[in-house]
Amino acid sequence: MAAVEPLKKSTKSTCVPFSTLPHWRQMASEWRYRGRVVTTDDVTSIRRLIVENPGASRRRLSEKLCEAWQWKQANGALRDMVCRGLLLMLHRAGEIELPPIRFKTLNPFVRRATPAPMLIDTTPIASALKELQPIELQQVRRTGDEPLFNSLMEQHHYLKYEQPVGEHAKYLVWAQGRPIACLAWSSAPRHLGSRDHYIGWNAETRRRNIRFIAYNTRFLILPWVRVPHLASHILGRMAAVLSDDWQRMYHHPIYFAETFIDPGRFRGTCYRAANWQLLGLTTGRGKNDQTNKPNRPIKEILGLPLTPRFREYLTQ
């Protein structure tokens, strides 16, 4: 086996500047990527892995590294994509040399086709809530009804359909055999000052436990549905099933739910009626902001504990 060179720090840095890579920072003797500390010993072992697998692709190397480090998601799947990002960062920094790229895959989020319109009954529904019962919530991700959800969001939500990234769930709400509403949930944003202050966790516990929070990215009552108190009723029903559904899909529960409200468009009345609490305001800066100046609308952050012991679970 070829000898492994000792780790050397070049006096002439080839690293991509920190300001262009928000997920990592270089330190004197270690690196940090997506919350994982990578030491010089780790870098040496990665070099050895590359030498011992001369025919392996970048993807196969990342899989082998995940297996060696037991770097897995809560559902047991390897954190392959995150690991590939780590290897690419070290490669660009000149600390390791990855094999050439064998093929490039198309970015499915850039080239994803717009959901097609679907013909459904749009006869107006105007009644009292009790007359609409029973109301059913159906999680439709990876089911035959997912295209209907995507289409309704694309056609009737002012933000259109957006493909979630990471852990997520999609719900259709049904009554009288017809869809009446849609809700989308995804992994929570990593950094929200007012939320983090409300929970009372530090950076390390947040990194470890952020997966126990779900973010309500979309809520749509279909425009031909006019039923007083329907939205808050759905949110109340949603709070009762979200954690169990997440447990079935991703093998861990949800202890806290959050969402953003654009006060220039909405008052968030239905959320407040369903016991969601105002936690504070966003900064108006994106996650890759480099100016420290607002560049998007400032929104209200609302949150809902799904268990009385949410702080205990989220800070342990």
Side-chain angles (χ1 to χ4, degrees), residues 60-279:
R60 184 58 185 146
L61 288 171
S62 70
E63 291 172 346
K64 283 182 171 292
L65 184 59
C66 285
E67 291 166 354
W69 285 357
Q70 288 296 292
W71 203 4
K72 298 180 179 181
Q73 303 176 39
N75 62 3
L78 298 177
R79 299 197 70 187
D80 173 53
M81 290 295 292
V82 175
C83 188
R84 267 186 271 174
L86 166 63
L87 292 176
L88 183 59
M89 180 267 288
L90 293 173
H91 174 78
R92 288 172 173 170
E95 297 297 343
I96 65 172
E97 184 173 353
L98 291 173
I101 297 174
R102 296 184 179 179
F103 62 90
K104 292 183 178 181
T105 58
L106 297 178
N107 186 330
F109 301 109
V110 172
R111 296 179 176 267
R112 185 179 297 274
T114 300
M118 300 184 73
L119 295 177
I120 63 171
D121 185 358
T122 60
T123 302
I125 297 176
S127 66
L129 180 59
K130 63 180 180 180
E131 297 172 355
L132 196 61
Q133 301 289 353
I135 294 172
E136 299 179 3
L137 275 65
Q138 176 196 10
Q139 201 294 119
V140 297
R141 187 191 177 198
R142 296 174 177 165
T143 74
D145 285 320
E146 185 173 9
L148 174 59
F149 171 96
N150 298 348
S151 176
L152 292 175
M153 280 293 187
E154 177 68 22
Q155 298 302 312
H156 302 293
H157 197 284
Y158 79 101
L159 293 176
K160 304 296 184 179
Y161 174 75
E162 181 178 69
Q163 175 63 26
V165 177
E167 297 181 348
H168 63 277
K170 302 175 180 179
Y171 286 86
L172 282 175
V173 183
W174 299 83
Q176 300 176 358
R178 298 171 57 187
I180 59 173
C182 308
L183 298 96
W185 298 84
S186 71
S187 303
R190 290 179 177 271
H191 305 289
L192 285 177
S194 55
R195 174 205 63 197
D196 297 341
H197 178 74
Y198 178 80
I199 291 172
W201 54 12
N202 57 34
E204 174 58 26
T205 53
R206 179 186 62 210
R207 183 196 66 79
R208 187 169 60 248
N209 296 329
I210 189 69
R211 61 196 176 100
F212 298 119
I213 297 181
Y215 167 42
N216 179 208
T217 59
R218 298 283 191 274
F219 184 17
L220 169 69
I221 302 291
L222 292 174
W224 50 87
V225 179
R226 295 286 187 269
V227 178
H229 314 298
L230 174 62
S232 58
H233 173 79
I234 291 173
L235 288 171
R237 292 277 302 278
M238 191 76 257
V241 303
L242 180 61
S243 183
D244 287 344
D245 287 348
W246 217 272
Q247 179 77 52
R248 281 189 286 272
M249 288 188 292
Y250 298 112
H251 307 285
H252 68 83
I254 294 296
Y255 301 131
F256 193 81
E258 64 188 24
T259 196
F260 296 161
I261 298 293
D262 183 348
R265 285 179 171 268
F266 307 105
R267 297 174 59 187
T269 304
C270 63
Y271 286 93
R272 290 174 169 84
N275 296 320
W276 289 60
Q277 304 173 46
L278 177 64
L279 307 182

